[in-house]
Amino acid sequence: NKKIIGIHIGTSENAPQRKWPYFKELIEKILSNTDYYIVLTAGPREYDECEDLISSLNVSEKDKERIIISKGISLKELPELISRFALYISNDTGPLHIAAAQGVFVIGLYGPNTPKLYGPYTKNCYVFYKNLPCSPCITNFNNKKSNCKNPICMKKISVD
């Protein structure tokens, strides 16, 4: 009976430019201004990153207790978990598309990829994309690889 927001802070290893840098600030804002619980969906390689994020939060320990990491959830179980969320916020990753397919309202954070091709196919979404002159830098024409070391396209998407 809890209200839950799912958040996926990770991204594929081959495209770290897709990672939005402000999840910490967003989670602090959610915990400080709402009574929602947060489930951080993550694969085993992302557990430590999620733990580090929770440790770094500037909120009370009681607020931190409203965050759960989806440890031990298999890829087969992930759609069922995601279907229970009121909202799902993610970089451009597979779990975002699973949430969209489940009918969950999603917020997609895009920069290196264009949401016109890779966005969630649902009306229950809001996509943030700055469409800078250098975007998209990850395309099928470059085998979805970019040498970008300063993804300003993601940095320009603010928490507000």
Side-chain angles (χ1 to χ4, degrees), residues 3 10 15 19 21 28 69 78 92 105 112 116 125 127 144 153:
K3 297 181 282 186
K19 183 175 235 157
E28 289 171 347
I69 302 170
L78 187 60
D92 172 25
F105 193 93
K116 287 182 181 180
C125 72
V127 172
K144 295 189 177 182
C153 55

Side-chain angles (χ1 to χ4, degrees), residues 93-108:
T93 61
L96 175 71
H97 300 290
I98 291 171
Q102 293 290 359
V104 174
F105 193 93
V106 298
I107 294 177

Side-chain angles (χ1 to χ4, degrees), residues 10-129:
T11 189
S12 65
E13 291 176 354
N14 70 331
Q17 304 88 347
R18 289 191 276 184
K19 183 175 235 157
W20 189 56
Y22 307 118
F23 281 111
K24 176 183 183 286
E25 293 83 357
L26 176 67
I27 292 169
E28 289 171 347
K29 199 167 202 174
I30 291 168
L31 292 173
S32 297
N33 296 309
T34 75
D35 60 347
Y36 279 79
Y37 283 70
I38 295 173
V39 172
L40 297 175
T41 56
R45 291 185 314 226
E46 299 163 326
Y47 293 162
D48 288 343
E49 183 180 3
C50 290
E51 294 282 356
D52 291 345
L53 173 69
I54 294 169
S55 296
S56 74
L57 294 173
N58 294 317
V59 296
S60 71
E61 290 302 313
K62 185 171 172 80
D63 281 338
K64 287 181 184 180
E65 291 173 6
R66 290 191 284 142
I67 306 173
I68 300 164
I69 302 170
S70 66
K71 288 183 178 178
I73 300 293
S74 72
L75 189 56
K76 279 176 79 173
E77 297 167 319
L78 187 60
E80 172 62 28
L81 173 65
I82 288 174
S83 73
R84 298 166 187 247
F85 299 156
L87 171 67
Y88 195 68
I89 304 167
S90 177
N91 301 302
D92 172 25
T93 61
L96 175 71
H97 300 290
I98 291 171
Q102 293 290 359
V104 174
F105 193 93
V106 298
I107 294 177
L109 305 166
Y110 283 77
N113 269 349
T114 173
K116 287 182 181 180
L117 289 176
Y118 303 106
Y121 292 111
T122 178
K123 291 181 179 163
N124 293 332
C125 72
Y126 193 87
V127 172
F128 289 90
Y129 177 65

